Amino acid sequence: MANSPGFLAHHDGDVVAVAVRDLEPGPAEGGYLRGPDSVTVQLNEAVPLGHKLALTDLAEGADVIEYGQRVGTASKQISKGDYVHVHNVRSARWQNSVA
């Protein structure tokens, strides 16, 4: 990457990455801590610093993988390049809790 990455993913196979600065819609280049050197994603919407973006399309109910681990479930269809947050993901942490 010629410039510093706009986002980082932890493992090859992660379906989300974290913005390392505020990102605007359009092409964004990022990298992996463990995996391919770089990847470019067409962002569909702005992604704030520290928030997640989708690296692949996810169907409603699909596992959200980050750090090589299941961290949540898509609560609705998520397209590659979408902002991923509480409006479209349910945390795996609370899914097995008794209400």
Side-chain angles (χ1 to χ4, degrees):
M1 264 175 278
N3 298 320
S4 62
F7 60 86
L8 290 173
H10 293 85
H11 295 269
D12 188 20
D14 284 356
V15 298
V16 295
V18 177
V20 296
R21 62 176 180 267
D22 290 336
L23 299 174
E24 295 301 321
E29 190 172 358
Y32 288 84
L33 297 176
R34 296 182 186 147
D37 290 333
S38 68
V39 63
T40 300
V41 174
Q42 181 71 26
L43 295 180
N44 303 320
E45 52 201 316
V47 180
L49 167 69
H51 289 248
K52 295 173 181 53
L53 59 107
L55 297 173
T56 186
D57 292 334
L58 296 166
E60 182 176 346
D63 288 340
V64 176
I65 307 297
E66 184 180 22
Y67 318 109
Q69 303 290 318
R70 179 178 169 265
V71 297
T73 303
S75 59
K76 64 181 186 179
Q77 171 71 36
I78 300 172
S79 296
K80 181 177 180 177
D82 282 355
Y83 173 41
V84 177
H85 200 53
V86 297
H87 66 285
N88 56 11
V89 171
R90 183 167 181 230
S91 173
R93 182 176 194 175
W94 310 114
Q95 290 185 22
N96 295 324
S97 300
V98 177

